[in-house]
Amino acid sequence: MPMALSLAAEFPAATEAQWRAAVDAVLKGKPFDRTLVGRTADGIAIQPLYPRAPSAHALAGRAASLPWTIVQRVDQPDAGDANAQALDDLTNGASGLALVRRGGIGDRRGDGLDLDHLADLDRVLDGVMLDLIPVRIDAGTAATHVAAMFAAKVKRDGLDPKSLQIAFGIDPIGAFGRRGTLESWDGAAAKLADAALGLEAHGFAGTTFMADGRVIHDAGGTEAQELAFVLGSAVTYLRVMERAGLPLARAARAISVMLATDADQFLSIAKIRAIRKLWARVEQACGLEPSRLDVHAETAWRMTTRVDPAVNWLRTTLACFAAGIGGADHVTVQPWTAAIGLPDAFARRVARNTQLILIEESNLHRVADPAAGSGGIETLTSELCERAWALFQEYERAGGLVQALSAGTVQAAVAKARAERLTRIATRREPLTGASEFPNVHEARPDVLPVSRRPQVTSAASIDLPPAAKGERFQAQVAAYAGGAPRAALMRPKTDTIFVDPLVPGRLAEPFEVLRDRLDAATAKAGSRPKVFLAVLGQVADFTARATFARNLFEAGGFDAPIPEPFASQNELSLLFRESSARIACICSSDALYAAEAMPVAEALKAAGATQVWLAGKPGEQAEAYEAAGVSGFIYAGCDVVDCLGKAAAVVE
């Protein structure tokens, strides 16, 4: 048999011109660019068709045929409970851990680990073989303290630091962006250099610093803004280490990056690929041979929903797929109930198994950079690189990323991007399944764990630390923790001198969730869910499309809006409205029937006691006449759904 079968050999080759002619025939005069070309939040055009990129090469990422690290978050406040979760995760397929301390970048709910003593770290890691698994630390402003605890533990336990894969996650720029305060960059940089040299002296071979893009993504930023922030952070840390005397090649290897991946799998794949190309460009500019960057990815916080949370299974699967295909070295999947509260064992199991199935059953890791050569992915990667590099250069011209944050430049750009995205969400041009589209108002909320937190140690006998210099301060911290000191003994009163607007994390579904909370409260008070009476006119074919649209819209706000059978008469419609206990009605039918019946029906509904009467469809030139007949507002594709639902909710509260 031939080695290859050319199944399409007998068909004539198609050309792009032929395809375009066929498309134009279907469009019937509609503009191609506005109809079939989309735009990302960064303004990148998404074409409907891309040719293959024949000159593309696979990007250097994970070692060939090796899976990424399946990282599980350890964020249970109690150290003993956290240890039980970690051991369960490792026993059942996880291959790495992320210790998310209270106040870390990943601690969005505010219930992260209590790590205040070396004893806490010992309890969390009891039975964990540190020489076999990678560990990532996410501790925010306490990162150098947790690093010192680790150093004390490793020395006491007789472990070889060179054999450990610990990403210490020190990221004062990310913490500054998230909190909005900083003592001064000179002071922070001195402590940063001191910690780097201290860890170097201990012989650790993992990465010291984390350039964390989740700060931008959580706050609603674009992909290019996230990449530019990561690049600006990494270059700043590179300069700090160079000034501290570390060789540039070693300094470059001490930096890892963290990116968020979401349900837009193509953009997420391109983003992971783009950071490798961008970092290689930085290394070349430094006179270094490009090396392999250690890339962490976490499924996005901002895409998760509290309402219809089972849809989060789909979102996190897509995001995990994108991270794996894009070439991330370590992937963390947010449990599907993370937006509701502390995930239980089942939610953590689903997070693990999402990755295990993609690796063990789908074998996604077997091919190095499988997106290489794809015209669409290669174009997205290149466009993201160009835009991120341009933003990075803007930060550099401003004096660096810290200066750009201090001036509010970064925050203003992110706020603009977030506002634009929230407008698209409010008008449902960017749908959120289960929240703004296809809601389930009768859902049962899943279980989450109760949060048990011990009182925080805020004072202790103060231990003097030497000034930050060549690692002496870090060594003193290590000795203090080894001796049993709490973190409070090593802390000093805040001396922050820079105060800016923080990059506050938020989820995209929150405007709809707030509405659902309002209606849930009204439901609990009244004993039944508030209803919207759909006043359907004509036969099924006349009203089904708009009635389905109206039901979807009102239930996104927490109303119950069942679609009734056709009404025999206007009198029957008015009678059933009175019996429905609804205070809101929505007229649903075709434009032809609206012309003849909408106004008298609106008047009849108002007479029957309707506080609000909505009409499904654009009113056109009849808007004033409809309003005079009692129509309160209009719902249609592209309207501000959040505003409409807010007005409706006010009636039933």
Side-chain angles (χ1 to χ4, degrees), residues 223-232 259 271 274-275 278 384 388:
E223 287 74 20
Q225 289 170 345
E226 183 181 357
L227 288 167
F229 187 87
V230 167
L231 208 59
L259 294 171
K271 184 166 63 175
I275 194 58
L278 289 164
L384 280 176

Side-chain angles (χ1 to χ4, degrees), residues 33 332 439 445 507 586:
D33 286 347
T332 307
R445 290 290 178 93
R507 292 176 300 100
C586 181

Side-chain angles (χ1 to χ4, degrees), residues 136-325:
R136 170 170 60 85
I137 300 170
D138 185 351
T141 56
T144 55
H145 289 269
V146 179
M149 292 180 202
F150 250 100
K153 176 177 176 60
V154 167
K155 183 177 180 180
R156 186 203 61 202
D157 293 351
L159 297 172
D160 178 9
K162 290 186 174 60
S163 69
L164 305 182
Q165 301 178 63
I166 300 176
F168 286 99
I170 299 173
D171 183 21
I173 297 176
F176 173 36
R178 172 62 61 84
R179 291 164 56 88
T181 67
L182 185 69
E183 51 175 319
S184 72
W185 180 242
D186 288 342
K191 294 175 183 176
L192 194 65
D194 181 87
L197 294 172
L199 287 168
E200 185 81 5
H202 276 268
F204 287 99
T207 57
T208 303
F209 306 108
M210 179 72 74
D212 198 334
R214 294 177 300 172
V215 176
I216 298 296
H217 199 273
D218 286 356
T222 70
E223 287 74 20
Q225 289 170 345
E226 183 181 357
L227 288 167
F229 187 87
V230 167
L231 208 59
S233 297
V235 168
T236 302
Y237 298 149
L238 199 61
R239 288 176 174 139
V240 168
M241 286 186 283
E242 183 186 29
R243 286 195 293 269
L246 282 176
L248 267 181
R250 170 65 189 117
R253 291 195 302 274
I255 295 171
S256 57
V257 304
M258 167 67 81
L259 294 171
T261 55
D262 58 26
D264 191 329
Q265 58 181 323
F266 297 123
L267 266 177
S268 294
I269 291 169
K271 184 166 63 175
I272 297 289
R273 300 179 80 246
I275 194 58
R276 294 198 184 279
K277 298 183 76 169
L278 289 164
W279 185 243
R281 178 72 184 90
V282 168
E283 289 183 307
Q284 288 175 335
C286 294
L288 301 173
E289 283 294 321
S291 58
R292 196 188 67 80
L293 177 66
D294 197 41
V295 177
H296 298 255
E298 183 176 76
T299 61
W301 168 255
R302 79 181 186 196
M303 73 175 178
T304 58
T305 62
R306 285 194 290 111
V307 293
D308 205 354
V311 182
N312 292 330
W313 291 31
L314 304 178
R315 296 185 181 102
T316 54
T317 299
L318 282 170
C320 181
F321 172 89
I325 291 293

Side-chain angles (χ1 to χ4, degrees), residues 382-403:
S382 297
E383 293 273 5
L384 280 176
C385 284
E386 289 182 12
R387 282 164 171 75
W389 189 261
L391 276 174
F392 165 66
Q393 288 180 313
E394 286 184 20
Y395 300 156
E396 290 292 285
R397 284 192 290 271
L401 182 58
V402 174
Q403 287 298 322

